[in-house]
Amino acid sequence: MNKRKNATPIDANAVKDELVKKYPVKVGRKRAKQLLVNDPAIEPKQEMGANVRTIPGIITQRGCTYAGCKGVVLGPTRDILNLTHGPIGCGFYSWLTRRNQTKPPRADDPNFMPYCFSTDMQDENIIFGGEKKLRQAVQEAYDIFKPKAIGIFATCPVGLIGDDIHAVARDMSEKLGINVFGFSCEGYKGVSQSAGHHIANNQLFKHVIGKHPCAPQGKFKVTLLGEYNIGGDGFVLEDLFQRCGIDLISTFSGNSTYEGFASAHHGDLNVVMCHRSINYVADMLEKKYGIPWFKVNFIGAEASAKSLRKIAAYFEDKELMDRVEEVIAEEMAKIVPVRDQIKARSEGKTAMMFVGGSRAHHYQNLFKEIGMKIIAAGYEFAHRDDYEGRQVLPTIKVDADSRNIEELVVKPDPTEYRPRKSPQDLARLAASGFAFKDYEGMMPEMDKGSLVIDDINHYETEQLLEKYKPDIFCAGVKEKYVIQKMGIPLKQLHSYDSGGPYAGFTGAINFWKDIDRMLNSKAWKLIDPPWENNEPLPALFVKEA
Ligand code: CFM
């Protein structure tokens, strides 16, 4: 047995109390609302504190609003020229570090992703204003690349000095005759990158979606929302859909194009992968164009099979259903031997995962399929609905920070609204077990007694590792090396380290093989974590009166 394993089971409530007690009283009170010992059966349901400001001084895992807008939502689109108006670091650090991939079908198709565009603001632009420089940059970008659309992204200093990026966008759009639009996604605009997703999607909805008049060909037209082609996940799904005979007309926004966004209103179904970043787009597409949506999950073999079956059942087409079953059978024949072989080594091992706004939930499936146990999980920036389920939406308190982010009022389009299913069809499908517009969230699927922590910080992470000694920890690059120095392997669930794809069936095999290697590497046992040999240095966060 691993010398670092605990002999007795851990009392999660005691761990929670201890974590919270270490803080100054006011801070502890706030953190206690974001730290729960899960109990899915309890009534009334547990309420998770989420989407609130990180307390200053705490080392959070979160990113900024600009990152969520420019890096996450628009980053994977290859033919919109994304121009950061700001200091060079903002553009540089949001450029491809997420490993989002793209594949233009022809060699001469536009692909701007290998470039990082920025106005490179200097002190004099901050003092005298940067609009002139921005105009010049848009002109220069147009002259060199002739894109069909340019997106302008505001960074913190732009908001502080008051440059009007939208006025520049309007003028330049008129002058150049292309679609130029701005994103007021200053880093401080919201409490996390989640606000940036919303700003990005609102602008796409206003300026791009619905602009392409010709409907793409296809019998079963689907748009995939919230799949960002990290490590090639989107490529796996494109292939899977094609083999099943499902026509993927648009993805938001993995391997995406301007035309794909502009054609999304021609789809007959929207399926949502990452609920956090895009659920409002699904709602708006339904209201404006009459396209129903439901949640899917292509992380995990069982989850992928279930999602494919759900799509086929929606279209109520026997041929499609049969083809989907054939593909699932082919894939499962490859999955089962690998899964069982790895499961023999991984069964009963423990994992913790603290990532983003959807993967801390989705990846639990992959671990469970190889018999592993999730002892603690949490999101960086998700909202209560991602933890507790969408039924809590009407009860979420709108605070000053969320009021800061525009909520679009959407009405049925006078010419393009066309309900894809009649109310009777929807009711019949619902009666057969279909859950439209629904997401149950992470907590109902987690074990009783597991810890759920929102916006975990570095201190809490270290404490969890020391107390629980999990077999693997999943987070991002900021955490990776600190945690590995403690003798615990860390799998990056943002960029997948250098691995992936992890979506669909082939992705599941890739993931299990990577996890198997990490769990069974002897290297970790050679590292002595600091708590084994060193006396802890006593310290207080602030001196309490
Ligand atoms: Fe959605 Fe994402 Fe995520 Fe996200 Fe992200 Fe990401 Fe993520 Mo990193 S859109 S919420 S802002 S699934 S970049 S592809 S991995 S934190 S869990």
Side-chain angles (χ1 to χ4, degrees):
M1 191 179 154
N2 185 335
K3 62 174 174 163
R4 291 179 195 137
K5 286 286 141 205
N6 294 307
T8 49
I10 299 165
D11 177 357
N13 282 299
V15 171
K16 178 187 165 171
D17 290 347
E18 211 187 312
L19 284 176
V20 170
K21 237 185 259 154
K22 195 83 179 179
Y23 290 117
V25 179
K26 252 166 93 183
V27 175
R29 220 179 289 136
K30 283 187 181 170
R31 284 305 294 153
K33 293 184 185 151
Q34 289 167 277
L35 271 144
L36 291 181
V37 178
N38 195 45
D39 186 352
I42 208 170
E43 290 294 345
K45 295 273 179 228
Q46 292 170 296
E47 182 179 325
M48 179 51 118
N51 193 29
V52 290
R53 291 183 188 186
T54 300
I55 300 156
I58 276 183
I59 307 176
T60 172
Q61 292 182 345
R62 282 175 170 175
C64 69
T65 300
Y66 160 82
C69 180
K70 192 265 178 185
V72 172
V73 176
L74 272 299
T77 309
R78 66 172 168 266
D79 60 358
I80 297 179
L81 192 147
N82 292 329
L83 172 61
T84 297
H85 186 31
I88 195 65
C90 303
F92 186 78
Y93 288 106
S94 59
W95 176 45
L96 290 186
T97 42
R98 184 160 163 253
R99 296 187 70 240
N100 45 271
Q101 302 182 2
T102 200
K103 206 188 277 166
R106 289 174 301 269
D108 57 348
D109 282 340
N111 177 14
F112 306 126
M113 272 167 51
Y115 298 91
C116 173
F117 301 97
S118 169
T119 52
D120 184 18
M121 278 180 116
Q122 302 295 320
D123 297 2
E124 69 179 82
N125 310 121
I126 308 280
I127 297 162
F128 299 110
E131 287 181 22
K132 195 173 149 210
K133 197 170 193 193
L134 176 60
R135 265 172 229 276
Q136 281 167 352
V138 173
Q139 183 69 52
E140 189 185 340
Y142 177 77
D143 292 342
I144 301 171
F145 294 99
K146 300 281 179 318
K148 52 186 97 163
I150 297 180
I152 300 169
F153 299 83
T155 54
C156 295
V158 170
L160 295 173
I161 64 173
D163 275 359
D164 189 346
I165 60 162
H166 303 287
V168 174
R170 265 193 313 273
D171 292 353
M172 293 310 285
S173 187
E174 231 165 74
K175 183 178 176 197
L176 304 173
I178 60 165
N179 198 351
V180 185
F181 40 91
F183 297 86
S184 289
C185 56
E186 292 85 352
Y188 59 76
K189 199 69 183 267
V191 302
S192 70
Q193 51 268 65
S194 161
H197 303 146
H198 208 148
I199 293 164
N201 285 314
N202 280 350
Q203 294 302 81
L204 286 179
F205 202 81
K206 283 199 278 191
H207 295 281
V208 186
I209 294 173
K211 290 249 188 297
H212 199 277
C214 311
Q217 294 298 308
K219 199 171 167 195
F220 307 111
K221 282 184 274 193
V222 172
T223 289
L224 179 56
L225 300 173
E227 159 48 56
Y228 299 92
N229 202 19
I230 311 301
D233 278 356
F235 297 146
V236 170
L237 300 186
E238 285 170 9
D239 176 64
L240 200 55
F241 279 35
Q242 198 199 358
R243 284 165 56 206
C244 292
I246 300 163
D247 305 289
L248 184 59
I249 63 158
S250 178
T251 303
F252 284 62
S253 55
N255 194 25
S256 61
T257 59
Y258 180 81
E259 196 176 303
F261 292 154
S263 312
H265 61 304
H266 295 298
D268 291 323
L269 169 68
N270 292 320
V271 292
V272 173
M273 266 289 283
C274 167
H275 176 267
R276 176 63 271 131
S277 60
I278 209 159
N279 70 89
Y280 30 81
V281 173
D283 268 344
M284 293 192 290
L285 284 168
E286 176 154 32
K287 276 191 199 127
K288 189 164 179 183
Y289 301 108
I291 312 167
W293 73 269
F294 52 74
K295 175 83 182 68
V296 287
N297 177 17
F298 286 99
I299 302 296
E302 301 291 344
S304 298
K306 196 171 149 199
S307 298
L308 285 175
R309 287 191 176 114
K310 209 165 156 188
I311 294 172
Y314 167 84
F315 286 106
E316 302 181 272
D317 182 277
K318 174 81 174 59
E319 218 176 291
L320 178 64
M321 289 187 215
D322 289 347
R323 216 160 35 226
V324 160
E325 288 307 329
E326 275 168 34
V327 172
I328 293 174
E330 259 171 48
E331 294 295 326
M332 288 311 275
K334 288 182 255 168
I335 285 276
V336 173
V338 182
R339 185 194 61 199
D340 292 350
Q341 196 190 21
I342 291 173
K343 195 173 175 181
R345 291 187 286 270
S346 58
E347 181 104 60
K349 295 220 156 115
T350 56
M352 290 184 174
M353 58 197 76
F354 293 93
V355 226
S358 81
R359 293 189 173 174
H361 180 197
H362 286 163
Y363 275 79
Q364 296 194 19
N365 291 309
L366 267 173
F367 282 109
K368 282 181 192 161
E369 286 181 31
I370 51 167
M372 289 180 65
K373 202 171 143 59
I374 317 302
I375 46 179
Y379 300 122
E380 287 166 51
F381 52 76
H383 300 201
R384 275 184 59 204
D385 37 324
D386 305 295
Y387 284 106
E388 302 167 54
R390 271 178 81 86
Q391 75 284 352
V392 303
L393 277 175
T395 65
I396 294 182
K397 242 191 8 245
V398 181
D399 61 11
D401 288 311
S402 28
R403 213 170 289 126
N404 216 4
I405 311 302
E406 189 185 13
E407 278 292 337
L408 300 184
V409 181
V410 177
K411 293 200 186 82
D413 190 279
T415 53
E416 298 285 344
Y417 180 79
R418 180 169 58 83
R420 303 323 200 252
K421 295 261 180 195
S422 68
Q424 294 86 331
D425 284 343
L426 288 174
R428 184 171 38 77
L429 283 167
S432 72
F434 249 88
F436 288 102
K437 283 197 254 202
D438 195 24
Y439 175 43
E440 287 174 356
M442 176 207 275
M443 283 162 56
E445 277 194 12
M446 287 186 66
D447 288 348
K448 184 177 176 196
S450 55
L451 270 172
V452 190
I453 304 179
D454 182 63
D455 187 18
I456 196 172
N457 57 52
H458 194 81
Y459 151 71
E460 291 163 7
T461 303
E462 281 193 5
Q463 291 297 309
L464 287 189
L465 293 178
E466 188 176 335
K467 291 185 176 23
Y468 284 87
K469 306 175 181 66
D471 293 298
I472 196 161
F473 195 89
C474 303
V477 73
K478 298 195 291 296
E479 294 74 44
K480 185 173 177 90
Y481 300 101
V482 180
I483 286 165
Q484 294 198 156
K485 281 177 187 169
M486 295 177 178
I488 291 165
L490 184 141
K491 180 68 201 163
Q492 289 194 61
L493 285 190
H494 300 264
S495 69
Y496 302 161
D497 298 296
S498 52
Y502 293 146
F505 302 97
T506 36
I509 292 181
N510 291 340
F511 187 77
W512 294 330
K513 285 184 175 170
D514 285 350
I515 295 301
D516 187 32
R517 265 195 296 273
M518 295 179 85
L519 287 176
N520 295 302
S521 162
K522 295 196 173 34
W524 312 112
K525 296 194 183 78
L526 303 174
I527 301 168
D528 285 329
W531 61 79
E532 285 202 345
N533 299 324
N534 300 325
E535 280 299 308
L537 292 172
L540 282 175
F541 282 87
V542 287
K543 187 160 171 47
E544 293 196 299

